[in-house]
Amino acid sequence: DTEVTQTPKHLVMGMTNKKSLKCEQHMGHRAMYWYKQKAKKPPELMFVYSYEKLSINESVPSRFSPECPNSSLLNLHLHALQPEDSALYLCASSHPAGTRPYNEQFFGPGTRLTVL
Amino acid sequence: SQQGEEDPQALSIQEGENATMNCSYKTSINNLQWYRQNSGRGLVHLILIRSNEREKHSGRLRVTLDTSKKSSSLLITASRAADTASYFCATVAGANNLFFGTGTRLTVIP
């Protein structure tokens, strides 16, 4: 199974809502990532988890809260978002750095988020 | 910012022609990867070239890397309509974190 799944595919939320994005993989990868992608722009790294521990937070506002409950799951909790947070949120997974000569990342299809 | 630059931003060719896109980056790298993204969907890994390699082939793809110029190119030969997508280069420096270039939108006209 070389698939990364993400739910939901689309999400519309108000600025006062709390919602969560979910990501799952069963490839045995111990590194998982969240990216944000605005229209016609490249993906931007938000968070990196390695062995279920947060290893990188690329200066992301606290209204985004990641969680890695186990080695297969990655969540992104959303609270009090702004309209400018509307974007495609991509999850990816890979073997952790240093465990292979080089690693590719496997991406999920993304969640299209609209904040009203 | 570690983001790389790609050119052209957009490329439109006829089916059967070759497509070349270029990537320039700013920092030393361990490897450089190319990814493809169909409209608003997830990215798919195409090919990886290590910093000590100069050229690599995979099917209709040919990637070159010039670390002295901090640049890479992706050549797609004999293009097909199904190759229509956005193509991103991504550099890896220390940890396995990808920093993407600005992307090239390729349109292959049947």
Side-chain angles (χ1 to χ4, degrees):
Chain A
D1 183 2
T2 58
E3 190 180 19
V4 177
T5 59
Q6 289 188 244
T7 55
K9 289 185 179 178
H10 301 274
L11 178 62
V12 180
M13 59 186 291
M15 289 190 284
T16 58
N17 292 156
K18 286 185 180 180
K19 297 286 184 184
S20 297
L21 309 184
K22 296 185 184 303
C23 174
E24 189 168 6
Q25 57 87 16
H26 294 286
M27 291 178 277
H29 291 161
R30 302 299 296 277
M32 297 186 76
Y33 312 80
W34 280 115
Y35 292 86
K36 173 182 177 180
Q37 186 179 25
K38 302 283 278 185
K40 297 187 178 181
K41 296 291 187 181
E44 294 181 355
L45 184 64
M46 299 175 71
F47 301 105
V48 180
Y49 272 84
S50 183
Y51 298 100
E52 297 84 67
K53 297 263 189 297
L54 182 65
S55 62
I56 291 182
N57 173 343
E58 289 284 342
S59 303
V60 179
S62 59
R63 57 186 184 269
F64 296 91
S65 176
E67 179 197 18
C68 191
N70 60 54
S71 60
S72 299
L73 294 175
L74 185 66
N75 299 322
L76 186 62
H77 303 297
L78 314 173
H79 174 55
L81 293 193
Q82 304 296 312
E84 59 264 29
D85 296 322
S86 298
L88 181 68
Y89 287 84
L90 294 161
C91 172
S93 71
S94 76
H95 293 294
T99 60
R100 297 286 191 280
Y102 40 84
N103 295 324
E104 64 181 279
Q105 291 188 16
F106 292 79
F107 282 80
T111 293
R112 177 76 59 190
L113 174 67
T114 302
V115 182
L116 301 176
Chain B
S1 168
Q2 298 186 49
Q3 186 180 83
E5 297 284 331
E6 288 185 56
D7 77 272
Q9 288 187 333
L11 178 61
S12 184
I13 59 173
Q14 296 289 328
E15 201 165 32
E17 293 180 339
N18 295 343
T20 299
M21 48 205 89
N22 304 294
C23 167
S24 60
Y25 56 91
K26 299 174 185 177
T27 62
S28 296
I29 61 171
N30 287 342
N31 64 74
L32 185 143
Q33 304 179 28
W34 285 88
Y35 285 79
R36 165 198 168 120
Q37 184 177 34
N38 285 76
S39 180
R41 304 300 289 167
L43 286 85
V44 175
H45 179 266
L46 295 176
I47 194 167
L48 180 152
I49 187 165
R50 289 178 286 186
S51 59
N52 62 354
E53 297 177 313
R54 292 296 166 258
E55 187 171 315
K56 202 160 183 182
H57 298 253
S58 176
R60 293 184 296 114
L61 305 179
R62 172 178 169 256
V63 169
T64 62
L65 179 65
D66 187 335
T67 52
S68 66
K69 295 181 180 178
K70 292 187 169 57
S71 67
S72 174
S73 68
L74 173 67
L75 168 67
I76 304 174
T77 61
S79 64
R80 305 166 181 168
D83 294 329
T84 294
S86 291
Y87 292 82
F88 293 94
C89 67
T91 54
V92 176
N96 193 38
N97 302 323
L98 298 175
F99 292 95
F100 287 90
T102 48
T104 294
R105 292 190 306 280
L106 174 66
T107 302
V108 181
I109 303 165

